[in-house]
């Protein structure tokens, strides 16, 4: 099936039509309500979050953005699974080989990456690249949603249906068609909007719209209408 593309300002309209009922649950420290989360992994009834980031190449705010996303959800009652950055951010955390991703990216309900990238890959640092078309199979274990805060990360949706299916159960991959900018506020703003009840694509759109100028375009990739 050809991936569905939701991009730019049209996101606000298209997602309301096809995925208006899909929400990340609003949870607090007193009440855990997984709601729509239904991954096949070991949730134990509690939604889980994990983040990875790279400050290489002058992206000094990546750790604050990813960490802010992680802690905002964690403080609201989500299970914090991992926060790995720079030297501790590894390709094996994202890749399907030997099911290594099941302990990291594909072992949580929502994941967030902040760092450099392109329409072919994300970069965890010098010499550490994860290629979309051949090295990932996200969602076959647990992952429901992922935000790729890097340049052009979702500009070529077909790359997520290469020799290995990056879209392998994950509902939605949020990213950028254009270049992205490195703001510390983006991660926590995305999380806060999810907790306020916005669905995933709307929350991504609004959070990035707060900081990015009009020539920067977000794009979301979904395999079908169940995003």
């Amino acid at each position: 099936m050809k991936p569905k593309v939701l991009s730019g300002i049209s996101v606000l309209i298209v997602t309301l039509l096809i995925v208006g009922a899909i929400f990340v649950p609003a949870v607090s420290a007193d009440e855990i309500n997984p709601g729509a989360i239904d991954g096949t992994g070991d949730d134990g009834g509690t939604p889980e979050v994990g983040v990875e980031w790279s400050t290489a190449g002058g992206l000094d705010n990546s750790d604050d953005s990813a960490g802010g996303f992680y802690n905002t959800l964690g403080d609201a009652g989500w299970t914090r699974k991992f926060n790995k950055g720079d030297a501790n951010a590894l390709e094996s955390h994202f890749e399907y080989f030997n099911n290594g991703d099941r302990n990291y990216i594909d072992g949580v309900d929502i994941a967030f990456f902040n760092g450099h990238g392109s329409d072919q890959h994300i970069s965890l640092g010098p010499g550490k690249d994860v290629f979309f078309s051949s090295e990932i199979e996200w969602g076959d274990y647990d992952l429901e949603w992922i935000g790729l805060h890097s340049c052009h990360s979702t500009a070529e949706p077909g790359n997520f249906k290469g020799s290995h299916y990056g879209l392998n159960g994950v509902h939605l991959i949020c990213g950028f068609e254009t270049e992205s900018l490195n703001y510390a506020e983006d991660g926590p703003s995305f999380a806060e909007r999810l907790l306020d009840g916005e669905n995933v694509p709307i929350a991504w759109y609004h959070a990035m719209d707060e900081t990015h100028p009009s020539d920067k375009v977000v794009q979301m990739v979904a395999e079908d209408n169940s995003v």
Side-chain angles (χ1 to χ4, degrees):
M1 181 180 294
K2 184 178 180 181
K4 184 181 293 294
V5 180
L6 313 172
S7 66
I9 193 69
S10 64
V11 169
L12 190 58
I13 300 171
V14 175
T15 53
L16 285 174
L17 292 174
I18 67 172
V19 295
I22 304 299
F23 288 88
V24 172
V27 295
S28 68
D30 299 319
E31 180 180 4
I32 304 299
N33 176 22
I37 293 177
D38 58 359
T40 59
D42 182 18
D43 288 332
T46 304
E48 302 156 329
V49 57
V51 301
E52 306 235 357
W53 46 270
S54 171
T55 59
L59 300 184
D60 296 337
N61 292 319
S62 292
D63 54 343
D64 290 331
S65 177
F69 179 79
Y70 187 70
N71 288 320
T72 298
L73 291 182
D75 289 345
W78 287 59
T79 296
R80 295 175 172 96
K81 289 295 291 288
F82 59 89
N83 179 355
K84 302 289 186 180
D86 288 339
N88 294 316
L90 303 177
E91 295 155 287
S92 61
H93 298 172
F94 292 80
E95 297 170 348
Y96 75 92
F97 308 114
N98 299 315
N99 291 324
D101 59 349
R102 292 191 176 191
N103 292 318
Y104 291 95
I105 293 299
D106 212 353
V108 295
D109 296 293
I110 192 165
F112 182 89
F113 169 75
N114 213 138
H116 282 298
S118 74
D119 59 4
Q120 305 289 322
H121 71 283
I122 53 173
S123 176
L124 308 179
K128 296 194 297 181
D129 298 327
V130 177
F131 287 88
F132 303 138
S133 65
S134 59
E135 297 180 342
I136 63 171
E137 292 184 358
W138 292 338
D140 59 329
Y141 187 62
D142 194 15
L143 186 65
E144 309 282 350
W145 305 279
I146 185 168
L148 299 178
H149 196 306
S150 58
C151 295
H152 308 291
S153 53
T154 51
E156 293 293 337
N159 287 336
F160 295 100
K161 284 291 187 182
S163 60
H164 287 271
Y165 294 109
L167 285 164
N168 197 23
V170 61
H171 295 312
L172 192 71
I173 300 173
C174 300
F176 282 83
E177 181 182 20
T178 62
E179 292 180 348
S180 62
L181 303 178
N182 192 238
Y183 292 106
E185 300 91 340
D186 286 349
S189 177
F190 181 35
E192 288 164 3
R193 290 181 174 280
L194 294 174
L195 294 172
D196 285 342
E198 293 187 8
N199 64 34
V200 177
I202 297 297
W204 182 261
Y205 172 83
H206 282 155
M208 303 310 131
D209 186 53
E210 286 180 347
T211 53
H212 287 69
S214 59
D215 63 336
K216 307 305 179 190
V217 180
V218 300
Q219 180 155 288
M220 295 76 162
V221 180
E223 188 170 19
D224 52 39
N225 287 356
S226 62
V227 299

